[in-house]
Amino acid sequence: MQLRRATLALTLLAAFGGSAMAQSCPAGSSTISYPGTRKVDQQDNYHGTMVADPYRWLEDANSAETKEWVDQQNKLTYGYLNEIPARAAIKQRLTKLWNFERYSVPFKEGGRYFYSRNDGLQNQSVLYTMTTLNDTPRVLLDPNTLAADGTVALAGVAVSPNGKYLAYSTAASGSDWNEIKVRDIESGKDVADHIKWVKFSNTAWAHDGSGFYYSRYDEPTEAQRLSGINYFQKVYFHKLGTEQAKDVLVYDRPDQKEWGFSAKVTDDGRYLLINSSQGTETRNRVFFKDLTKKDSKVTGLLEGFDASYEFIDNDGAVFYFVTDKNAPKSRIIAIDTRKPAPDQWKEIVPEAAQTLTSANILNNQLVVNYLKDAHSAVKVFDLKGKEVRDLALPGLGSTAGFYGKRGDGETFYSYTSFTTPTAIYRYDMKTGQSSIYRQPKVDFDPNAYETRQEFFTSKDGTKVPMFIVSKKGLKLDGSNPTYLYGYGGFNISLTPTFSVANLAWVEMGGVYVMANLRGGGEYGEAWHKAGTKLQKQNVFDDFIGAAEWLIANKVTSPAKLSIGGGSNGGLLVGAAMTQRPELFGAALPAVGVMDMLRFHKFTIGWAWTSDYGSSDNADEFGALVKYSPLHNIKAGGCYPATMITTADHDDRVVPAHSFKFAAAAQAGQGGAAPILIRIETKAGHGAGKPTSKQIEEVADRWGFLTRALNMSAPASAVGSP
């Protein structure tokens, strides 16, 4: 749909300093003196409508002026945070809570087990290996030795089928750019192989361990490394012991700049599968290559780009997939690659009322993960689709894992909930029995807390679930400091997960709420699509509906309600606080997509048009500009206390989004509440962030809220049950 020009002009006037839509702000003017932010006369023509962009210069993160602006903003923010009495006690309690052993789900390859472990306060988890479950584990790779400040993280690992080599990816300072190196597992030393300019790629070993497949982009210029747009990904094969310059190009599409690729070798070594994605679109294409035939070509198998197809395993030429083709909540099918026509497909596990999220074949059985109202359920089927058993879980939580190969009689999985630290279970595929393999001990009493699930009604009548976590015996008098979290995008499901950060918040007397908004994948593809493009406003309506329910049911009140989210969730917070500022006492948008008219012009931002649409299209521009946080700051608006967070090495959502939003919000704020921006250094979008930086950031977040929400609990009470 398109907005009439008169209406659109009014919106833009309000967004960039006009007074036509300014709110009255009884709270009075801010006493904070913000750093001056220069405005420029930059205007862009969108389908006949001129849009001002006065802070365009902040998009150049390398300029001296931007760096000086960052320094001044951080000086203001940290000066403010340092004056909060509870902050030091919160950090102390977080450090104590965080100091517990954490394990990943083990996997087995080449006759060895592999898993990662963090002893508590290590900046990065350490990779271990052992030959039997009773062996003493041996350190295989300690990322903490790669950088003194812990800012080099392990981004991915792949073990050769013969168990001789580990290919591992590292990311520095939170960047999406990865480097791949190879370690001899027996000696624990790296060999000479070194691959660069890898991004959004897995590593797939050849069956004989001679080398591996990976995906990469062309090398960027230094100036474009963190902001340049990423197009034309290619699949290469790297032969062990050779230089990267000699890697063989396996597949690319010069005619399709937006296509991305990931490669996988089937467990029997016979086929190379190439999954082709287009941005963040859930639909994909699948190609394959017969590795048993010399010089065989890559052949299209599923090229219609009509649904999602996730490869599970193969039985010779028969491939098993999870797909949402003709099944919005997904099903499992088998495709004979010799007879690939859709009318020849065989349905193995039909679509169910629950959302099917993943599947693996172990012990010649299908282990299938489902979501039931945003929490996990697991079933086992035989390869003909007959249900064998349910896997009993302890409660409303989330599972992950079930790695392994077709003949494996054992596997491992994790289970977690809001009040259950992630435990690792060993599962006997033959008997169906689970046993605890690793169970962490955290300094808190889980019996002192409760989780309940509620369903609220959104603006258009849609029922939306949310989880509410609090101390037992919560008083419904509207006085509870509450943190409402959401995401609502890209088919990503939010499920119950243990978080030290959230535990500390609830210990302080806060209420933690997680809403399962449209745009996510909790109820399948229809739920996802209902929160995309011209329907994106549904996501914000859902979030606002959650806030209204919490207030109406006296869980909290506007003065005590804060909202938070990161990335697409940062956009969510930015949209909610500009659309309904009176509902919230505080807002914490993190690494958010705030400029909805220009997001597609940086790094991988173009890929998000599958969810957002693009300002290049007239109807989608009309929708985007109505909710773009940057373009909906109103002069004299009365905005809640806000702390925007971003990082200097974020090459996913470039920090210019947060820079420009902060400048506009500081200029537009008509009330007394602070508008601050916290800019982390040597960090990126979030993945791989060192433990020390995580603790600092959470302490600042909760410290900010104690002041913004006027929390009465003294600092000495932090950590009490």
Side-chain angles (χ1 to χ4, degrees):
M1 66 179 183
Q2 293 188 355
L3 297 175
R4 287 185 299 177
R5 184 170 299 176
T7 305
L8 187 54
L10 181 64
T11 302
L12 297 176
L13 175 67
F16 288 93
S19 58
M21 295 179 68
Q23 298 169 261
S24 61
C25 203
S29 298
S30 173
T31 58
I32 295 178
S33 178
Y34 297 109
T37 306
R38 178 172 62 91
K39 292 185 178 183
V40 297
D41 185 20
Q42 173 68 45
Q43 297 210 24
D44 300 297
N45 187 330
Y46 291 92
H47 315 288
T49 299
M50 300 304 295
V51 180
D53 193 0
Y55 304 112
R56 176 73 61 84
W57 61 273
L58 283 170
E59 291 180 359
D60 184 0
N62 295 315
S63 76
E65 187 179 14
T66 300
K67 290 178 180 179
E68 175 62 21
W69 183 88
V70 168
D71 288 343
Q72 290 180 5
Q73 292 286 348
N74 270 342
K75 184 178 179 180
L76 171 67
T77 298
Y78 287 108
Y80 183 93
L81 293 171
N82 286 335
E83 294 176 355
I84 297 174
R87 181 171 171 241
I90 293 171
K91 181 181 176 182
Q92 182 179 13
R93 178 57 178 157
L94 281 167
T95 302
K96 186 175 183 181
L97 281 172
W98 225 292
N99 193 12
F100 72 97
E101 286 186 317
R102 300 183 292 282
Y103 293 85
S104 70
V105 177
F107 68 92
K108 193 173 184 181
E109 188 67 70
R112 292 177 178 270
Y113 293 93
F114 300 86
Y115 68 95
S116 64
R117 171 184 173 270
N118 192 305
D119 67 11
L121 295 177
Q122 288 174 293
N123 276 323
Q124 303 291 341
S125 295
V126 179
L127 183 67
Y128 291 83
T129 186
M130 54 192 178
T131 53
T132 73
L133 294 179
N134 297 320
D135 282 351
T136 300
R138 172 169 65 89
V139 173
L140 179 56
L141 179 62
D142 184 356
N144 298 290
T145 64
L146 302 179
D149 59 1
T151 56
V152 173
L154 194 59
V157 297
V159 177
S160 62
N162 56 18
K164 290 185 65 176
Y165 296 104
L166 168 78
Y168 66 95
S169 304
T170 59
S173 300
S175 171
D176 279 335
W177 287 113
N178 289 180
E179 297 184 20
I180 302 175
K181 295 184 179 181
V182 179
R183 178 157 295 192
D184 182 290
I185 292 176
E186 190 60 39
S187 69
K189 296 180 179 180
D190 285 351
V191 296
D193 303 72
H194 189 182
I195 308 298
K196 296 183 177 181
W197 306 117
V198 177
K199 185 183 278 195
F200 312 126
S201 173
N202 64 320
T203 306
W205 282 93
H207 196 59
D208 61 2
S210 60
F212 53 82
Y213 300 87
Y214 69 97
S215 306
R216 62 160 291 188
Y217 293 96
D218 292 336
E219 181 178 350
T221 65
E222 181 59 28
Q224 293 294 307
R225 185 170 64 88
L226 293 178
S227 61
I229 202 158
N230 302 135
Y231 284 136
F232 297 111
Q233 194 178 39
K234 305 175 179 70
V235 178
Y236 285 89
F237 178 76
H238 173 74
K239 185 177 180 181
L240 215 55
T242 63
E243 297 179 355
Q244 184 175 7
K246 296 182 179 179
D247 289 355
V248 176
L249 177 64
V250 176
Y251 194 68
D252 71 339
R253 289 296 295 262
D255 60 326
Q256 298 290 345
K257 67 180 182 180
E258 294 184 351
W259 287 17
F261 303 103
S262 61
K264 176 180 176 60
V265 178
T266 56
D267 287 344
D268 60 12
R270 180 173 172 180
Y271 297 102
L272 173 71
L273 269 81
I274 298 176
N275 178 74
S276 173
S277 59
Q278 194 163 350
T280 52
E281 177 64 65
T282 54
R283 297 173 295 172
N284 63 298
R285 300 173 177 88
V286 178
F287 303 86
F288 73 104
K289 175 182 171 73
D290 189 337
L291 298 176
T292 66
K293 297 178 182 178
K294 188 177 181 180
D295 299 324
S296 66
K297 298 189 182 215
V298 174
T299 303
L301 176 63
L302 297 163
E303 297 184 87
F305 201 56
D306 56 355
S308 169
Y309 300 93
E310 179 186 344
F311 179 78
I312 305 171
D313 203 346
N314 69 302
D315 188 359
V318 177
F319 292 1
Y320 294 88
F321 291 94
V322 172
T323 183
D324 59 10
K325 175 70 171 176
N326 299 326
K329 292 187 178 179
S330 295
R331 58 182 177 143
I332 296 175
I333 61 171
I335 300 176
D336 189 328
T337 56
R338 298 160 299 192
K339 299 179 291 182
D343 60 1
Q344 298 295 310
W345 297 356
K346 183 178 179 182
E347 183 173 80
I348 306 299
V349 177
E351 182 182 23
Q354 303 167 347
T355 303
L356 196 163
T357 60
S358 65
N360 295 285
I361 295 182
L362 301 158
N363 191 45
N364 289 306
Q365 295 173 314
L366 284 157
V367 180
V368 183
N369 284 275
Y370 289 94
L371 279 183
K372 179 181 181 181
D373 291 331
H375 59 86
S376 289
V378 182
K379 294 179 179 289
V380 178
F381 298 85
D382 67 22
L383 292 182
K384 293 182 179 179
K386 180 181 178 182
E387 186 172 339
V388 176
R389 69 177 78 94
D390 289 337
L391 192 154
L393 297 174
L396 299 182
S398 307
T399 60
F402 301 104
Y403 310 129
K405 299 186 186 299
R406 186 186 188 96
D408 289 350
E410 70 170 355
T411 188
F412 298 85
Y413 67 93
S414 63
Y415 173 82
T416 183
S417 73
F418 291 114
T419 56
T420 306
T422 302
I424 308 300
Y425 290 81
R426 180 184 178 275
Y427 186 64
D428 189 317
M429 288 295 304
K430 295 182 169 122
T431 66
Q433 296 299 308
S434 293
S435 56
I436 292 176
Y437 178 64
R438 293 284 187 268
Q439 187 169 36
K441 296 180 180 179
V442 183
D443 181 32
F444 85 112
D445 177 12
N447 295 318
Y449 306 92
E450 62 184 0
T451 299
R452 71 181 197 267
Q453 188 176 41
E454 298 283 355
F455 290 80
F456 63 90
T457 303
S458 191
K459 183 177 181 179
D460 65 356
T462 300
K463 294 290 185 183
V464 181
M466 63 180 170
F467 293 97
I468 301 174
V469 186
S470 67
K471 289 182 179 179
K472 286 183 177 177
L474 181 70
K475 293 182 180 179
L476 299 178
D477 58 4
S479 67
N480 302 295
T482 299
Y483 179 71
L484 170 60
Y485 172 80
Y487 186 80
F490 299 99
N491 201 41
I492 293 172
S493 302
L494 298 186
T495 60
T497 305
F498 182 77
S499 162
V500 166
N502 295 337
L503 172 61
W505 172 252
V506 178
E507 273 193 347
M508 292 162 57
V511 178
Y512 175 78
V513 182
M514 186 176 80
N516 299 105
L517 316 172
R518 281 175 285 184
E522 290 87 347
Y523 292 104
E525 185 61 4
W527 189 257
H528 167 226
K529 289 299 185 185
T532 63
K533 293 191 174 181
L534 300 185
Q535 300 186 89
K536 185 67 177 176
Q537 182 60 40
N538 285 337
V539 183
F540 313 133
D541 289 342
D542 290 355
F543 200 53
I544 290 166
E548 291 175 331
W549 188 97
L550 292 167
I551 294 166
N553 287 273
K554 298 190 180 301
V555 173
T556 190
S557 60
K560 294 288 187 178
L561 176 58
S562 63
I563 51 175
S567 194
N568 175 71
L571 159 64
L572 170 70
V573 173
M577 66 176 277
T578 52
Q579 291 183 16
R580 294 292 303 278
E582 79 285 356
L583 274 183
F584 313 112
L588 297 171
V591 294
V593 188
M594 300 304 200
D595 184 347
M596 298 308 297
L597 304 187
R598 288 177 58 79
F599 70 86
H600 58 302
K601 297 182 181 295
F602 304 97
T603 62
I604 201 64
W606 61 265
W608 313 330
T609 58
S610 60
D611 252 50
Y612 298 149
S614 170
S615 61
D616 294 341
N617 302 322
D619 59 340
E620 291 172 346
F621 163 71
L624 288 164
V625 78
K626 286 182 82 174
Y627 69 76
S628 176
L630 176 64
H631 300 93
N632 284 280
I633 293 290
K634 300 171 178 62
C638 194
Y639 296 105
T642 301
M643 186 170 71
I644 302 153
T645 53
T646 187
D648 63 351
H649 277 66
D650 190 345
D651 51 0
R652 183 81 59 84
V653 180
V654 294
H657 283 277
S658 293
F659 293 176
K660 292 164 68 175
F661 182 69
Q666 287 176 350
Q669 175 67 304
I675 305 289
L676 304 176
I677 180 168
R678 181 188 187 277
I679 305 157
E680 185 66 85
T681 58
K682 294 192 73 176
H685 198 59
K689 184 176 290 187
T691 298
S692 57
K693 286 184 180 290
Q694 293 183 59
I695 292 173
E696 288 280 354
E697 184 175 332
V698 175
D700 290 347
R701 187 196 311 159
W702 295 158
F704 180 82
L705 291 187
T706 63
R707 186 167 177 177
L709 304 183
N710 193 25
M711 294 176 68
S712 59
S716 59
V718 175
S720 59

